[in-house]
Amino acid sequence: MFKKLKRSAEGAGVPHVKATAGVATVKMPAPDQVTLLMSQHIGAPATPVVQKGDTVYVGTLVGKAGGFVSANVYSSVSGTVLSADANAVVVTADGNQTVDPSIQPPVVTDRDSLLKAVADCGLVGLGGAGFPAQVKLAAQNIDYLVINCAECEPYLASDTREVLECSDTIVSGIEAVLKYLGIKSCIIGIEANKPDCIDLMTTLTKDMTGVSVKTLPCRYPQGAEKNLIETCTGREVPQYGPSGKPGLPADAGCIVMNVTSISTLGKFLKTGMPLVSRRVTVDGDAAAKPGNIEAPIGSSMQSIVDFAGGIKEGVELGKVIAGGPMMGLAQVDLSAPTKKASGGILLFSKEKATLPEPTNCIRCGRCINGCPMGLSPVSIVKAYNDHNLEELDRLNLGLCVTCGTCSFVCPAKRPLTQTMAIAKVFQRMGGNK
């Protein structure tokens, strides 16, 4: 028996700021140009299969999966390839959005053909991690399919809108996975602060055998895979799996899929159109008109922000975050392209973005109590500052998911999460700074 994690599961009571939860998605026209990164997922980057001057359409394969843990990349616009290399394929759009003539629904009759369809879709985890979906779904001996609809980070509303606007493909995606993978039970986890989503999914699944909706407590990071599994199934992912590496959901007999991921699968099975667009929440106190924008993957953040209404007049932009405020990454500017897992662009004023000056640790233990992985951030930070690689290993640094809880609850406002992220790089490099 492998040692189990003892998680506090206390997490943090982050503000329920969801200004765009009730704002319907607006489809954005194709920008003048898209940059399709070959590495939009965990694992090996895709390999370009087009070259400069080629004509492509919406849904044309431009990057082929570079291995088992990889994912195809498709053009999100019709137009001409401007450049193609190992890093990215850049396409100049013609504005017509002509669909590739080869697009047609896949024929799925069994497990293997479903997994092939998932791979052909270019589907990855759309909750942020970007793990190739066909690898996850290939796991054996699975008892539960857990659908992650927690969306526990403030501001983000992309998954909420997916439930309210695309519930039919969520249901059809679930039905396909249960049928062809032989999974008997599905639990859809939704935080209690989304009653409209809970009511809708409960109504739609009430006659589906083995499918239920679980109301989750409103406590960040309720959407983290291991926490979600414990809350929904009562099972705990072991600290280490049979391989000796950190335990995975499959080690607890579970597969976790983001709700937009399962819906995207449902859409692909129906239409044959691979993953080429993404709903992005634009919000923050510097956003002129917060909203949810469906944009071609590879669109620059600038083009999406401009379509959404730009920066609020009279406000000095202080910080741009790709993703949510807890786990998202600050951007140098708005020129970066969106990726498959891009769910949010947050615009904060200089006043809002200015961080308080950190003070000395008061040894209160709140970071320990709050850590959903049961770690001791304060001890890990000390071990990193001492360059003690052995101690970092002993403290299970590898289990940190950089969720941001420790920094959020720290009364001294110390950059614990940022330091832990740097420490993980230090650990991966074998202690070489």
Side-chain angles (χ1 to χ4, degrees):
M1 178 67 67
F2 293 98
K3 180 182 177 182
K4 298 281 189 175
L5 283 175
K6 295 181 179 178
R7 303 189 185 91
S8 68
E10 184 173 332
V14 300
H16 180 62
V17 182
K18 300 281 188 179
T20 69
V23 180
T25 304
V26 178
K27 190 169 184 177
M28 171 181 146
D32 294 336
Q33 181 176 290
V34 294
T35 299
L36 303 162
L37 299 176
M38 292 295 97
S39 185
Q40 299 189 39
H41 46 264
I42 291 174
T47 302
V49 293
V50 292
Q51 56 188 356
K52 182 177 179 179
D54 285 354
T55 297
V56 296
Y57 305 100
V58 179
T60 297
L61 180 71
V62 297
K64 187 172 178 58
F68 177 63
V69 184
S70 187
N72 290 340
V73 177
Y74 296 89
S75 180
S76 58
V77 298
S78 59
T80 305
V81 175
L82 180 65
S83 64
D85 57 35
N87 294 318
V89 171
V90 180
V91 180
T92 300
D94 59 17
N96 297 324
Q97 289 301 82
T98 305
V99 173
D100 192 301
S102 68
I103 297 296
Q104 59 181 355
V107 176
V108 176
T109 58
D110 56 16
R111 175 188 178 86
D112 290 343
S113 56
L114 175 67
L115 294 177
K116 181 181 184 301
V118 175
D120 290 343
C121 178
L123 184 60
V124 301
L126 300 179
F131 192 83
Q134 77 275 9
V135 179
K136 178 184 293 188
L137 292 174
Q140 302 281 353
N141 302 316
I142 300 299
D143 302 313
Y144 290 100
L145 171 64
V146 180
I147 303 300
N148 185 355
C149 192
E151 198 163 46
C152 50
E153 286 212 52
Y155 295 99
L156 301 183
S158 176
D159 288 343
T160 297
R161 296 312 308 175
E162 188 73 27
V163 173
L164 298 177
E165 297 172 4
C166 306
S167 56
D168 58 330
T169 48
I170 294 172
V171 170
S172 62
I174 290 172
E175 289 176 331
V177 171
L178 295 183
K179 176 180 179 179
Y180 294 113
L181 299 188
I183 302 173
K184 302 298 183 184
S185 300
C186 173
I187 301 174
I188 304 170
I190 308 175
E191 277 196 315
N193 54 22
K194 304 174 184 65
D196 47 355
C197 294
I198 293 172
D199 291 345
L200 177 59
M201 294 313 300
T202 298
T203 298
L204 292 176
T205 61
K206 62 183 177 64
D207 295 325
M208 295 175 66
T209 302
V211 180
S212 61
V213 176
K214 174 77 173 180
T215 300
L216 307 175
C218 301
R219 197 72 179 173
Y220 179 84
Q222 190 58 66
E225 278 191 334
K226 295 176 182 178
N227 299 74
L228 188 66
I229 288 171
E230 290 181 20
T231 305
C232 288
T233 71
R235 298 184 178 188
E236 187 173 354
V237 177
Q239 182 173 352
Y240 294 103
S243 65
K245 296 181 180 180
L248 298 172
D251 296 321
C254 299
I255 288 175
V256 178
M257 290 192 74
N258 167 267
V259 69
T260 301
S261 297
I262 196 73
S263 182
T264 300
L265 174 58
K267 294 170 188 174
F268 180 70
L269 296 177
K270 180 180 180 180
T271 67
M273 178 58 70
L275 179 55
V276 295
S277 66
R278 185 70 167 92
R279 182 187 295 102
V280 180
T281 297
V282 178
D283 203 350
D285 72 319
K289 189 177 180 181
N292 298 294
I293 311 299
E294 182 182 348
I297 291 170
S299 302
S300 70
M301 290 193 290
Q302 184 70 63
S303 65
I304 297 173
V305 170
D306 288 344
F307 179 75
I311 308 301
K312 188 180 296 183
E313 187 176 353
V315 173
E316 182 180 359
L317 184 63
K319 181 177 287 187
V320 177
I321 296 178
M326 300 296 288
M327 295 188 71
L329 298 176
Q331 303 295 299
V332 175
D333 54 43
L334 286 164
S335 64
T338 54
K339 301 185 289 186
K340 295 177 182 180
S342 297
I345 301 173
L346 305 184
L347 309 169
F348 294 112
S349 65
K350 187 173 182 180
E351 179 183 4
K352 189 84 169 180
T354 300
L355 298 175
E357 194 67 28
T359 58
N360 293 330
C361 175
I362 61 174
R363 315 295 292 180
C364 65
R366 292 185 189 177
C367 62
I368 300 172
N369 292 333
C371 178
M373 296 295 107
L375 304 178
S376 175
V378 63
S379 301
I380 290 173
V381 169
K382 181 180 185 305
Y384 169 69
N385 289 335
D386 292 340
H387 301 161
N388 190 336
L389 186 61
E390 183 178 334
E391 183 68 358
L392 290 175
D393 292 339
R394 189 188 71 79
L395 292 168
N396 292 316
L397 170 61
L399 297 176
C400 172
V401 295
T402 57
C403 66
T405 300
C406 53
S407 291
F408 183 84
V409 301
C410 177
K413 305 304 179 184
R414 301 187 65 76
L416 298 171
T417 303
Q418 295 90 329
T419 306
M420 301 241 315
I422 295 170
K424 291 180 73 172
V425 176
F426 175 76
Q427 184 184 48
R428 287 198 299 270
M429 295 177 66
N432 296 315
K433 296 195 70 178

